[in-house]
């Protein structure tokens, strides 16, 4: 991991220096100051993975990613100096779920996004997921929307990427429907990554409330439980986020800010 290697170099260099300087500071004090300074200077590189899928089953309606679930984490991290790269399975423009782009779904973050030409350009020109190297990033975040249920749940590149982030013990975060992309992700021993892990995501009751139980290719709550996850949720639309180790999940759009805060804390 680049961050670990760089940190090691910093520690070795500072320790060597402290052994030879004539000042009164102890080596441990010098090392502590070096770590603080390194963290200030290190840019957080975060990967956002969005869906390329824009068809809501056979309904004839459009879907994609949910704007709030992208915008809130995006600005939370961006405002703290993060360098954010956006990728999708197909590359190019990531489809926005029309239901997330109206006044009923508006938040301060979505309003900021609507005025942000730079962010919109990133969404219109995403990287191809297959070209992404996990070694280049400190964390990965998956916004939801219904789109990921159709493409990212079965995407081998996404599966491999998450597995590598997990092996490297880097933060991996998801919100709303996005935890569905963990369906085929495995531990090194072949067991499901979510087995025995505390996790949340869009509930069966919430799916029923939006009338899509019979439309979606899988029910997220059922899938997680079947894979051995310790699933939990709050009432419909309530903000709720869970962290277990390096895995961070949020239940619904209202949970995106909580997930972003937990992700930011994990990166400190």
């Amino acid at each position: 991991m680049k961050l670990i290697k760089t940190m090691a170099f910093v520690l070795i260099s500072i320790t060597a220096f402290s052994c030879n300087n004539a000042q009164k500071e102890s080596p441990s004090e010098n090392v502590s100051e070096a770590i603080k300074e390194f963290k200030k200077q290190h840019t957080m590189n975060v990967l956002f993975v969005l869906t390329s899928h824009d068809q809501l089953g056979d309904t004839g309606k459009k879907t994609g990613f949910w704007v709030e679930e992208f915008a809130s984490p995006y600005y939370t991290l961006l405002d703290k100096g993060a360098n954010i790269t956006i990728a999708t399975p197909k590359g190019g423009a990531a489809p926005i779920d029309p239901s997330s782009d109206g006044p009923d779904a508006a938040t301060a973050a979505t309003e900021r996004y609507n005025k942000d030409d730079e962010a919109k350009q990133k969404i219109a020109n995403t990287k191809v997921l297959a070209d992404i190297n996990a070694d280049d990033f400190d964390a990965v975040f998956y916004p939801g929307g219904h789109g990921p249920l159709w493409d990212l749940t079965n995407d081998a590149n996404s599966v491999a990427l998450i597995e590598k982030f997990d092996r490297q013990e880097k933060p991996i975060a998801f919100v709303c429907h996005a935890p569905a992309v963990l369906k085929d992700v495995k531990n090194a021993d072949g067991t499901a990554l979510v087995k025995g892990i505390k996790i949340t995501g869009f509930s069966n009751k919430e799916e029923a409330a939006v009338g899509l139980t019979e439309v979606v290719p899988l029910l997220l709550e059922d899938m997680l439980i079947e894979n051995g996850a310790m699933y939990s949720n709050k009432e419909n639309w309530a903000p709720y986020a869970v962290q277990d180790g390096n895995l961070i999940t949020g239940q619904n759009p209202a949970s995106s800010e909580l997930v972003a805060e937990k992700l930011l804390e994990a990166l400190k």
Side-chain angles (χ1 to χ4, degrees), residues 169-213:
E169 298 183 350
K170 295 175 181 176
I172 45 180
F174 311 83
V175 67
C176 201
H177 285 89
V181 308
L182 293 166
K183 180 172 69 73
D184 294 330
V185 179
K186 306 294 185 183
N187 290 305
D189 63 3
T191 59
L193 181 69
V194 300
K195 185 177 181 180
I197 298 295
K198 296 176 182 176
I199 196 168
T200 189
F202 206 63
S203 68
N204 288 353
K205 288 183 178 179
E206 286 170 319
E207 202 69 81
V210 297
L212 295 175
T213 301

